[in-house]
Amino acid sequence: MEPVSAPDTPVPDPPVPPARQRWRLVLARSADAPRLAGRELADLWDAAMDSSGLPVHRPAGRIRARLAFGAPIQLGMGAEREPADLFLSELAPLWRVRDALVSVMPEGWRLVDLFDTWMGGPALAGLVVAADYRIELAGEPDLAQLKAVAAQLLAAGELPRVRAKGDGTVRYDLRPLLADVSVHPATGRIALRVRTRFHPTLGTGRPEEVVAAIDDRTEAVLEVARIVRERLILSDGWS
């Protein structure tokens, strides 16, 4: 009688070693970059990181390259200093990381700077507390009136607004989400400089909502030529 063999026992995958290096990338995006968001944008960056030749770290159960952005940015909006964290499984010098990334930047994106960052720091998305926007206005709006209205917004105790949500709307107060607004000339146009807050329970202030609040208080309808997110503000002082 032949002995009965024991069923094969699956061999577990070897543990994935922890990441050894964390690079803080500073990226710029032109307003005419391909209009990709969500999974499409993530896949684009995954392909870029895969082709970079860098030892990109992939946590257990994850097959895609790990590139963590600070906050989503609206389609069609330019950006000048967007932080994103890249984790490597091996140590690499700055020149190697920079050269590898510059060669694989997706269309419409540009590497502005990069920093070797502490591995033990909090996740980037949890550090974002505010964002600075430059909102360039078309036409010739009344500069004095805009400055007066901007001062009114900052002096207001509340700024009731209505925001679309799903198939309906929700009422909210814009004032806690508005940190600052001022009026400046820029490249031949009048521009609003707006800082909005990221709040864990109230949400995020949006630049177009600030324009709408100003528009409600002016005699003419404001027309936006373009909006650029200049930078994100992080709670650890990085910007």
Side-chain angles (χ1 to χ4, degrees):
M1 181 176 180
E2 295 183 0
V4 178
S5 60
D8 293 337
T9 302
V11 178
D13 294 331
V16 177
R20 297 192 61 196
Q21 196 170 34
R22 177 183 186 177
W23 286 94
R24 175 70 47 80
L25 314 184
V26 185
L27 304 168
R29 186 183 79 175
S30 63
D32 57 358
R35 298 174 69 86
L36 301 177
R39 175 49 57 196
E40 287 184 316
L41 183 59
D43 288 345
L44 180 70
W45 278 105
D46 288 338
M49 296 302 99
D50 284 339
S51 63
S52 70
L54 293 171
V56 178
H57 180 257
R58 292 170 175 79
R62 181 182 172 92
I63 62 173
R64 290 185 168 87
R66 185 178 181 185
L67 184 66
F69 281 83
I73 185 168
Q74 297 176 35
L75 292 176
M77 182 182 294
E80 294 179 343
R81 290 185 62 83
E82 289 296 300
D85 280 355
L86 174 65
F87 294 81
L88 301 183
S89 58
E90 302 172 11
L91 299 180
L94 185 147
W95 66 264
R96 179 188 172 193
V97 178
R98 182 190 59 233
D99 291 353
L101 293 175
V102 166
S103 67
V104 298
M105 283 288 105
E107 181 183 353
W109 291 83
R110 177 172 56 87
L111 180 66
V112 177
D113 211 341
L114 70 163
F115 305 91
D116 193 346
T117 305
W118 179 44
M119 277 294 306
L124 177 57
L127 293 173
V128 179
V129 295
D132 285 346
Y133 295 92
R134 184 175 68 253
I135 306 171
E136 297 181 12
L137 303 175
E140 298 181 359
D142 188 313
L143 181 60
Q145 185 182 52
L146 286 178
K147 289 183 176 181
V149 172
Q152 292 172 17
L153 295 189
L154 295 178
E158 60 178 2
L159 294 171
R161 306 291 305 168
V162 176
R163 174 186 290 176
K165 186 175 183 179
D167 295 331
T169 58
V170 60
R171 295 183 178 277
Y172 74 102
D173 184 4
L174 174 63
R175 186 63 190 90
L177 302 176
L178 176 62
D180 194 27
V181 56
S182 56
V183 185
H184 305 269
T187 61
R189 293 192 179 109
I190 291 176
L192 304 174
R193 305 295 291 273
V194 172
R195 175 170 291 185
T196 62
R197 295 188 177 98
F198 285 61
H199 194 280
T201 57
L202 300 178
T204 302
R206 300 175 184 172
E208 67 272 16
E209 294 170 344
V210 179
V211 174
I214 294 175
D215 193 60
D216 288 347
R217 292 165 172 79
T218 58
E219 298 174 357
V221 176
L222 298 181
E223 181 181 350
V224 175
R226 70 169 181 162
I227 301 178
V228 176
R229 187 154 80 186
E230 296 181 320
R231 61 178 181 166
L232 293 179
I233 310 299
L234 307 186
S235 59
D236 63 1
W238 187 94
S239 62

